[in-house]
Amino acid sequence: MKILVVGAGATGGYFGALLARAGEDVTFLVRPARAAALRERGLRVVGRDGEWTVEPRLVTADELREPYDLVLLSVKSTGLDRAIEDVAPAVGPDTAVIPLLNGLAHIDALNARFGASAVLGGVAKVVTTLDDAGDIRRLAPLAHLAFGEQDAAAGTVSARVERIRKVLEGAGIDAPVPADVLTAMWHKWVFITTFGAVTSLMRGTVGEVYDAEGGPTLGPAVLDEAAAVAAAAGHPVPEQERAATLAVVSAPGSPMVPSLYRDLAAGRPTEVEHLFGDLTARARTLGVATPLLDLATLHLRVHQRRTAGV
């Protein structure tokens, strides 16, 4: 299987590195500056369980000439429009595109550009970050990529999904096929916005928020709002998943923060519109009140304007 990984950051780079290490035919679509760094240092995975390096096959957008069998699209939502145009030559009539973004707005954009039949739903769960040296730092052993056809009937797995699953699992990636991948994407969206709102609103780690007087009530309140939007959209969050989210965002002493918070703290742009703006807009359409999520959205929009020099 000929695989193109769009982006070589903390998520796509990690999955791509696992696939390359397993001997799969993997190429990374990267910007020229990232290409230069990777040619010099290799694609390194460091941290937990030691360090290893792959010598990646690289391509820049102007060098793409032919379709791939599988495209793993792993970019920030702020770079989605450009990435769609960059990757277009790699998407042929038999190409499967699996986006690894959070939220749902990117599915609409990809469907419009490539057709819904080419686009699968995807939910990535890894605990990695890109460090100052450009290496992928692995913070926990999780490597989970759930995916599936957008319109699959419950309990069915298409032939192409089964082929992709075998390739992913052969590289050590946990690759379940949910009964409804769009529901799985909604549930991840609820988690990531709850996690992001708690830490971003309070400008602190999960533990710093929880350990402050009044802090323990924030996580459950934000989760209730996000879960209410999902339920109104037809994707109620099961109690087991609610409990798992609460365990993350209501943990005394926890140092955890999401990547969105790291971007906020570092003065970088965030994915506010893709994650929060879209969710709160859907809440308005569905008639769901989300005062805490609205406040988080406004807070992040003010930051966004500041980073843009507005």
Side-chain angles (χ1 to χ4, degrees), residues 94-174:
D94 299 317
T95 302
V97 179
I98 303 180
L100 306 182
L101 293 79
N102 294 312
L104 280 166
H106 60 280
I107 292 291
D108 295 335
L110 289 165
N111 287 349
R113 183 65 175 81
F114 302 121
S117 62
V119 182
L120 281 65
V123 177
K125 296 180 181 180
V126 294
V127 189
T128 54
T129 187
L130 205 65
D131 66 20
D132 292 340
D135 298 335
I136 297 168
R137 187 160 295 276
R138 188 180 185 218
L139 306 175
L142 186 66
H144 176 102
L145 202 176
F147 70 104
E149 305 282 358
Q150 293 184 58
D151 60 353
T156 64
V157 180
S158 69
R160 70 171 175 175
V161 164
E162 188 57 46
R163 286 195 300 271
I164 295 167
R165 177 165 62 178
K166 288 179 179 178
V167 169
L168 295 173
E169 290 180 343
I173 299 167
D174 180 26

Side-chain angles (χ1 to χ4, degrees), residues 14-286:
Y14 182 54
F15 285 127
L18 289 172
L19 288 162
R21 186 172 67 162
E24 296 296 337
D25 182 357
V26 180
T27 301
F28 294 86
L29 173 61
V30 292
R31 304 285 178 226
R34 181 66 168 151
L38 290 172
R39 289 190 178 105
E40 179 181 345
R41 294 173 51 82
L43 181 56
R44 298 185 183 187
V45 179
V46 301
R48 191 183 180 97
D49 301 329
E51 175 179 325
W52 48 276
T53 304
V54 297
E55 298 301 327
R57 183 183 298 115
L58 305 172
V59 65
T60 54
D62 60 313
E63 297 170 330
L64 277 181
R65 295 288 185 271
E66 57 188 16
Y68 286 72
D69 300 310
L70 172 64
V71 172
L72 294 181
L73 182 64
S74 180
V75 297
K76 292 283 190 182
S77 63
T78 49
L80 178 63
D81 290 344
R82 180 175 176 181
I84 287 174
E85 294 310 312
D86 286 350
V87 80
V91 180
D94 299 317
T95 302
V97 179
I98 303 180
L100 306 182
L101 293 79
N102 294 312
L104 280 166
H106 60 280
I107 292 291
D108 295 335
L110 289 165
N111 287 349
R113 183 65 175 81
F114 302 121
S117 62
V119 182
L120 281 65
V123 177
K125 296 180 181 180
V126 294
V127 189
T128 54
T129 187
L130 205 65
D131 66 20
D132 292 340
D135 298 335
I136 297 168
R137 187 160 295 276
R138 188 180 185 218
L139 306 175
L142 186 66
H144 176 102
L145 202 176
F147 70 104
E149 305 282 358
Q150 293 184 58
D151 60 353
T156 64
V157 180
S158 69
R160 70 171 175 175
V161 164
E162 188 57 46
R163 286 195 300 271
I164 295 167
R165 177 165 62 178
K166 288 179 179 178
V167 169
L168 295 173
E169 290 180 343
I173 299 167
D174 180 26
V177 179
D180 183 340
V181 73
L182 294 179
T183 291
M185 293 174 68
W186 264 100
H187 294 171
K188 174 71 181 298
W189 197 7
V190 167
F191 167 77
I192 205 68
T193 49
T194 300
F195 192 12
V198 167
T199 53
S200 298
L201 273 176
M202 298 299 106
R203 290 294 189 120
T205 67
V206 165
E208 288 171 334
V209 176
Y210 187 87
D211 294 339
E213 185 176 354
T217 64
L218 182 60
V222 177
L223 174 58
D224 284 347
E225 290 185 7
V229 182
H235 305 278
V237 180
E239 187 54 42
Q240 183 177 1
E241 292 203 29
R242 288 177 61 95
T245 297
L246 281 177
V248 172
V249 302
S250 301
S254 171
M256 289 189 67
V257 293
S259 60
L260 180 139
Y261 175 82
R262 289 194 290 269
D263 288 338
L264 177 67
R268 296 188 293 261
T270 71
E271 297 184 285
V272 53
E273 295 304 333
H274 192 81
L275 294 179
F276 287 86
D278 188 28
L279 185 66
T280 54
R282 293 177 193 240
R284 299 291 81 75
T285 300
L286 295 166

